[in-house]
Amino acid sequence: MIGNYRTVLQHIDADSPVQAARENAAELTAEILTAVGKLDQDAAPDVVAARLGEGLAPALHTMAKALRVQAGGLEVPAAAVDDFGGFEGQYEQIEKVAAHHGNYWEVLLYGHLLKDRSTMYDLTSRLELRATSEDNRVLDALAHARRHKNLRDYIPERHEGGRPVDISFATLNWQKAVRDKNRPGVFVRKHFEAMVFAALAEELRTGDVAVAGAEEYADWSEQLLSWEDAEAKLGDYLVEVGLAEPGDDAPYDAVTFRRQLEDKLTVAAASADAGYPDNEGLIIDPETGIPSLKAHRSEGQCASAKALEQEIKARMPERSLLGIISRTAYWVEWWRRFGPASGNEPKLKDPFGRYVITTFVKGTNMGPYEAARHIPGVSGHELSLAANRHFSIPTLNEAIADLVNAHARLDISQAWGDGSAVAADGTHMDIYLNNLLSETSVRYGKPGGIAYHHISDTYIALFTHFIPCGVWEAAYIIEGLLKNTSEVKPTTVHADTQIRRARASLSSRSLTCWAST
């Protein structure tokens, strides 16, 4: 980019001072070469003096004159560059354009953090930050940045003891941004600070760095059971999950656990091999040995299922979504949970109708003003006012608990389960990019968030969290159980492999881990 910039300047005008300076410098350089002749460039000074004799001083004078002419010819373009912010400003603009076209956004981040630089340094000096694992690279780099925050452009790449600062936690783009190829042995201070603060924010979000005394950013490892407490409950837990027989007092260690897993895997493999000839849905390619499943085709509904469907439709008339919300609000009275933040009675002409319509509008993500175009008798301002001033997350959770309790008392819900089991899993949701929860999901390949649900065996959602895509879901398995305020209290949790991290911190619940194949 800088080379192209120079070429453009040289070709603006054929008669410019730059061109004249280059021509004069070329002529003077030719005179120097004539004076020097074929003298070896590695010749000693006395040999040069003997070869040039009295021509030594004129040669040096001619060389100095060439440099002066060339420097004088650059005064005009240098002044033009100064008018546009100087060379530093031009280099910064070139850097921004190059970053924009090359997906190299890291060099632009410092401009957004500059106004908050002193605040972030002050905040990190007041907070007690701890790594939740043995990886201290980010905190080590933060300490290095704090020690050299008063330097101007560059900071050393080694600690005071000579140990190099480990920045392997950063991406290759960051490692490229913090170095200047013309200044080895140092980091570019502004990019190094941006890299460290960006990495620290990510570590806090994922729980790899904790804040002492905090609630949201507390050290999750300190919330786990100690080994002494876990060992006292280990015997009952092994019996409960089927890893030991009642009354078995034999010591249980990692070797025993591994042997049990190997035995179970051997039995499962033998059973799969024995049943393969009769398994019409499983195919193993004889050349590659890769197994695959045939597509399962439905055999259609049987006559009794069709008769049951018709009878259900006859006894259960079709209802609109707004009608269902209105009926449940009338019978359960969940709408009474909402109101002004002061706790006073709502000064609305019809709070029941307003809250029902607001719930429908916000639940369908229609928006108040779009809904007002289709629902007569209500304005967008009225719906927006009710949603912003009369609804809150705690009151919504209370209304949900009312519905869960009412559903649990229905006879039909008892036909599915007794509420003792719950399934926990997340679902990807598309949300706006300018949202604090929005991230690009590696699994789904698109931005959004995760709606983490706890679904009871009575087929109703007990609790829902909206979380970023990259966080550990194990913490929200526990938090969903703790924040469930309904009368349905599950004792068994079915979840994916995230439950392994949550299992150690729950002692009074049975956790059953399942994995789909």
mmCIF file of all heavy atoms in Angstrom, residues 36-52 56:
data_model
loop_
_atom_site.group_PDB
_atom_site.id
_atom_site.type_symbol
_atom_site.label_atom_id
_atom_site.label_comp_id
_atom_site.label_asym_id
_atom_site.label_seq_id
_atom_site.Cartn_x
_atom_site.Cartn_y
_atom_site.Cartn_z
ATOM 1 N N VAL A 36 35.100 7.157 -8.160
ATOM 2 C CA VAL A 36 35.536 5.981 -7.413
ATOM 3 C C VAL A 36 36.123 4.926 -8.329
ATOM 4 O O VAL A 36 37.078 4.220 -7.987
ATOM 5 C CB VAL A 36 34.345 5.408 -6.606
ATOM 6 C CG1 VAL A 36 34.717 4.092 -5.938
ATOM 7 C CG2 VAL A 36 33.878 6.420 -5.563
ATOM 8 N N GLY A 37 35.575 4.809 -9.552
ATOM 9 C CA GLY A 37 36.068 3.812 -10.492
ATOM 10 C C GLY A 37 35.667 2.414 -10.072
ATOM 11 O O GLY A 37 34.560 2.176 -9.596
ATOM 12 N N LYS A 38 36.589 1.477 -10.249
ATOM 13 C CA LYS A 38 36.300 0.079 -9.945
ATOM 14 C C LYS A 38 36.876 -0.336 -8.593
ATOM 15 O O LYS A 38 37.313 -1.469 -8.409
ATOM 16 C CB LYS A 38 36.880 -0.815 -11.031
ATOM 17 C CG LYS A 38 36.273 -0.570 -12.408
ATOM 18 C CD LYS A 38 36.871 -1.505 -13.443
ATOM 19 C CE LYS A 38 36.268 -1.266 -14.814
ATOM 20 N NZ LYS A 38 36.837 -2.188 -15.834
ATOM 21 N N LEU A 39 36.853 0.570 -7.659
ATOM 22 C CA LEU A 39 37.394 0.273 -6.339
ATOM 23 C C LEU A 39 36.530 -0.773 -5.633
ATOM 24 O O LEU A 39 35.298 -0.704 -5.672
ATOM 25 C CB LEU A 39 37.457 1.556 -5.504
ATOM 26 C CG LEU A 39 38.150 1.445 -4.135
ATOM 27 C CD1 LEU A 39 39.625 1.119 -4.335
ATOM 28 C CD2 LEU A 39 37.972 2.739 -3.360
ATOM 29 N N ASP A 40 37.186 -1.749 -5.012
ATOM 30 C CA ASP A 40 36.489 -2.810 -4.295
ATOM 31 C C ASP A 40 35.737 -2.192 -3.105
ATOM 32 O O ASP A 40 36.289 -1.379 -2.363
ATOM 33 C CB ASP A 40 37.481 -3.854 -3.793
ATOM 34 C CG ASP A 40 36.777 -5.070 -3.204
ATOM 35 O OD1 ASP A 40 35.520 -5.081 -3.181
ATOM 36 O OD2 ASP A 40 37.482 -5.999 -2.774
ATOM 37 N N GLN A 41 34.454 -2.616 -2.927
ATOM 38 C CA GLN A 41 33.649 -2.037 -1.850
ATOM 39 C C GLN A 41 34.159 -2.438 -0.460
ATOM 40 O O GLN A 41 33.821 -1.804 0.539
ATOM 41 C CB GLN A 41 32.182 -2.468 -1.992
ATOM 42 C CG GLN A 41 31.983 -3.977 -1.884
ATOM 43 C CD GLN A 41 30.510 -4.362 -2.012
ATOM 44 O OE1 GLN A 41 29.662 -3.495 -2.161
ATOM 45 N NE2 GLN A 41 30.218 -5.645 -1.961
ATOM 46 N N ASP A 42 34.965 -3.496 -0.378
ATOM 47 C CA ASP A 42 35.503 -3.932 0.912
ATOM 48 C C ASP A 42 36.938 -3.428 1.149
ATOM 49 O O ASP A 42 37.615 -3.892 2.080
ATOM 50 C CB ASP A 42 35.494 -5.455 1.005
ATOM 51 C CG ASP A 42 34.074 -6.014 0.959
ATOM 52 O OD1 ASP A 42 33.162 -5.318 1.450
ATOM 53 O OD2 ASP A 42 33.885 -7.135 0.429
ATOM 54 N N ALA A 43 37.365 -2.493 0.327
ATOM 55 C CA ALA A 43 38.739 -2.007 0.455
ATOM 56 C C ALA A 43 38.923 -1.227 1.748
ATOM 57 O O ALA A 43 37.996 -0.591 2.255
ATOM 58 C CB ALA A 43 39.097 -1.116 -0.742
ATOM 59 N N ALA A 44 40.144 -1.257 2.277
ATOM 60 C CA ALA A 44 40.457 -0.554 3.515
ATOM 61 C C ALA A 44 40.491 0.956 3.273
ATOM 62 O O ALA A 44 40.682 1.418 2.141
ATOM 63 C CB ALA A 44 41.804 -1.018 4.059
ATOM 64 N N PRO A 45 40.312 1.775 4.326
ATOM 65 C CA PRO A 45 40.301 3.242 4.145
ATOM 66 C C PRO A 45 41.578 3.793 3.520
ATOM 67 O O PRO A 45 41.529 4.706 2.705
ATOM 68 C CB PRO A 45 40.100 3.758 5.573
ATOM 69 C CG PRO A 45 39.404 2.634 6.285
ATOM 70 C CD PRO A 45 39.968 1.389 5.688
ATOM 71 N N ASP A 46 42.770 3.229 3.908
ATOM 72 C CA ASP A 46 44.015 3.765 3.336
ATOM 73 C C ASP A 46 44.114 3.449 1.847
ATOM 74 O O ASP A 46 44.670 4.218 1.067
ATOM 75 C CB ASP A 46 45.216 3.190 4.090
ATOM 76 C CG ASP A 46 45.180 1.659 4.137
ATOM 77 O OD1 ASP A 46 44.117 1.080 3.808
ATOM 78 O OD2 ASP A 46 46.203 1.065 4.508
ATOM 79 N N VAL A 47 43.550 2.319 1.427
ATOM 80 C CA VAL A 47 43.554 1.980 0.000
ATOM 81 C C VAL A 47 42.676 2.948 -0.770
ATOM 82 O O VAL A 47 42.989 3.385 -1.877
ATOM 83 C CB VAL A 47 43.101 0.523 -0.213
ATOM 84 C CG1 VAL A 47 43.036 0.191 -1.700
ATOM 85 C CG2 VAL A 47 44.016 -0.431 0.530
ATOM 86 N N VAL A 48 41.479 3.318 -0.167
ATOM 87 C CA VAL A 48 40.581 4.268 -0.817
ATOM 88 C C VAL A 48 41.261 5.622 -0.957
ATOM 89 O O VAL A 48 41.211 6.266 -2.007
ATOM 90 C CB VAL A 48 39.273 4.397 -0.003
ATOM 91 C CG1 VAL A 48 38.366 5.482 -0.604
ATOM 92 C CG2 VAL A 48 38.544 3.065 0.049
ATOM 93 N N ALA A 49 41.950 6.062 0.110
ATOM 94 C CA ALA A 49 42.622 7.367 0.053
ATOM 95 C C ALA A 49 43.724 7.370 -0.994
ATOM 96 O O ALA A 49 43.912 8.348 -1.722
ATOM 97 C CB ALA A 49 43.197 7.709 1.429
ATOM 98 N N ALA A 50 44.494 6.258 -1.094
ATOM 99 C CA ALA A 50 45.564 6.178 -2.088
ATOM 100 C C ALA A 50 45.012 6.174 -3.500
ATOM 101 O O ALA A 50 45.617 6.718 -4.426
ATOM 102 C CB ALA A 50 46.397 4.924 -1.841
ATOM 103 N N ARG A 51 43.836 5.500 -3.662
ATOM 104 C CA ARG A 51 43.247 5.398 -5.002
ATOM 105 C C ARG A 51 42.676 6.735 -5.462
ATOM 106 O O ARG A 51 42.847 7.156 -6.600
ATOM 107 C CB ARG A 51 42.119 4.347 -4.990
ATOM 108 C CG ARG A 51 41.333 4.261 -6.293
ATOM 109 C CD ARG A 51 42.201 3.737 -7.445
ATOM 110 N NE ARG A 51 41.436 3.582 -8.653
ATOM 111 C CZ ARG A 51 41.178 4.559 -9.528
ATOM 112 N NH1 ARG A 51 41.660 5.795 -9.289
ATOM 113 N NH2 ARG A 51 40.478 4.341 -10.620
ATOM 114 N N LEU A 52 41.997 7.489 -4.555
ATOM 115 C CA LEU A 52 41.347 8.724 -4.949
ATOM 116 C C LEU A 52 42.291 9.917 -4.882
ATOM 117 O O LEU A 52 42.178 10.863 -5.647
ATOM 118 C CB LEU A 52 40.138 8.995 -4.059
ATOM 119 C CG LEU A 52 38.968 7.997 -4.191
ATOM 120 C CD1 LEU A 52 37.866 8.368 -3.220
ATOM 121 C CD2 LEU A 52 38.440 7.978 -5.614
ATOM 122 N N LEU A 56 39.277 12.592 -3.132
ATOM 123 C CA LEU A 56 38.449 12.069 -2.050
ATOM 124 C C LEU A 56 37.469 13.129 -1.555
ATOM 125 O O LEU A 56 36.277 12.883 -1.435
ATOM 126 C CB LEU A 56 39.339 11.598 -0.897
ATOM 127 C CG LEU A 56 38.594 11.085 0.354
ATOM 128 C CD1 LEU A 56 37.692 9.921 -0.001
ATOM 129 C CD2 LEU A 56 39.598 10.682 1.428
#
